[in-house]
Amino acid sequence: MKLGIIGAEKQEVDLLVKALSGPEGAARKRKAGAFEFFEGNLRGCPAVVVLSGIGKVNAAICTQTLILNFNPDYIINTGSAGGLAAGLAVLDMIVSADAVQHDVDAVFFGYKPGQVPGTGSPFFTADAFLRKAALSAFGKVMDSESCRAHMRLPEGTSPKIIEGRIASGDVFVSAADTRNKIIDLFHPACVEMEGAAIAQVCSVNSVPFVILRCVSDLAGENANMSYESFSRFASDISAHVVMAIAEGLKEEQK
């Protein structure tokens, strides 16, 4: 069983690359296309970690390159997002139930909002097994004193996790009218810039996937300030959950 792990920003994959182990200690680095892939064992589970870059096109190209060159059994997209669902706070986590591209509009041709022409639905459904694994992994991370100490979470922080819809588009959402339009059309838990593109490529290739997003901001007026303050914490939480998923998958194989 091999995991493919994709993050859009360096801080989202740094911990994972450092945690990989290979026959000679460090992970093996291999270039494929425009991307550098790091291969090794993550908590005993074979894994490939890659930095995709920001945006849907970068994410889609990276995902297809990963699939063609490394043949992963599962793909996890890790990172941060702007929270939209009621009750979410900064550093809460969302596990994807499904994903939609909020900036796709082919309604004129008879498609639904967010529906990519030629697809059967605007929504790409995440793998049930990976969703369950993510929920379990989050609980283990938050119950682990060593994990919490390593993440150095702000005092008083008590992150929670929900399952919900991921809305992706090539825009950093901070304007109220954009935020409200996305909520009205798609009712997502969060908004970001890569997940649904990765989901589409995984669906085309029949590779099970899940998207993990830790809330760095609330996609509002002060989103940029909040992102700068909390994205590192969000990236660390997501990375620790991915490591716990890998450890759980390794246990499943025994």
Side-chain angles (χ1 to χ4, degrees):
M1 182 186 297
K2 184 188 294 182
L3 275 180
I5 303 165
I6 303 170
E9 296 187 84
K10 189 173 183 294
Q11 66 183 13
E12 294 170 355
V13 299
D14 273 350
L15 275 178
L16 297 167
V17 171
K18 290 175 183 176
L20 287 172
S21 61
E24 299 178 0
R28 176 191 174 205
K29 183 166 70 174
R30 174 179 158 191
K31 191 170 179 65
F35 305 97
E36 287 186 339
F37 295 84
F38 295 85
E39 292 183 273
N41 287 318
L42 184 65
R43 301 280 180 89
C45 181
V48 183
V49 179
V50 61
L51 175 67
S52 69
I54 295 170
K56 293 195 301 176
V57 174
N58 283 331
I61 296 169
C62 180
T63 306
Q64 190 64 54
T65 304
L66 169 63
I67 291 169
L68 290 177
N69 287 273
F70 297 92
N71 194 31
D73 297 290
Y74 299 112
I75 286 180
I76 299 175
N77 176 216
T78 178
S80 60
L84 294 179
L88 278 180
V90 169
L91 301 187
D92 287 344
M93 175 161 271
I94 300 101
V95 176
S96 61
D98 59 21
V100 62
Q101 297 181 52
H102 68 74
D103 57 353
V104 169
D105 185 351
V107 172
F108 179 83
F109 299 104
Y111 293 96
K112 296 177 181 178
Q115 186 175 5
V116 176
T119 62
S121 167
F123 309 111
F124 300 98
T125 303
D127 181 70
F129 171 73
L130 288 176
R131 288 160 60 182
K132 183 179 178 181
L135 292 169
S136 175
F138 179 87
K140 290 177 182 177
V141 167
M142 290 302 153
D143 288 342
S144 168
E145 291 185 12
S146 62
C147 283
R148 292 182 69 91
H150 187 274
M151 291 185 291
R152 299 178 183 177
L153 299 180
E155 188 174 350
T157 301
S158 184
K160 62 181 179 293
I161 191 168
I162 67 167
E163 290 187 86
R165 176 166 294 155
I166 311 288
S168 307
D170 285 319
V171 57
F172 183 83
V173 176
S174 58
D177 56 345
T178 304
R179 185 183 194 275
N180 292 337
K181 181 180 178 181
I182 293 169
I183 292 172
D184 289 344
L185 283 174
F186 303 109
H187 310 289
C190 67
V191 64
E192 40 83 285
M193 300 178 70
E194 297 85 24
I198 292 170
Q200 181 181 350
V201 175
C202 287
S203 297
V204 168
N205 288 275
S206 299
V207 178
F209 75 90
V210 73
I211 305 162
L212 305 179
R213 286 291 183 267
C214 191
V215 175
S216 60
D217 60 86
L218 297 177
E221 184 178 351
N222 297 316
N224 187 63
M225 186 187 308
S226 179
Y227 177 82
E228 293 295 331
S229 299
F230 293 105
S231 64
R232 171 64 68 178
F233 294 114
S235 297
D236 284 358
I237 292 171
S238 293
H240 276 85
V241 172
V242 172
M243 288 187 275
I245 291 172
E247 189 171 17
L249 291 178
K250 178 62 179 177
E251 292 299 316
E252 288 274 346
Q253 290 182 298
K254 290 182 178 180

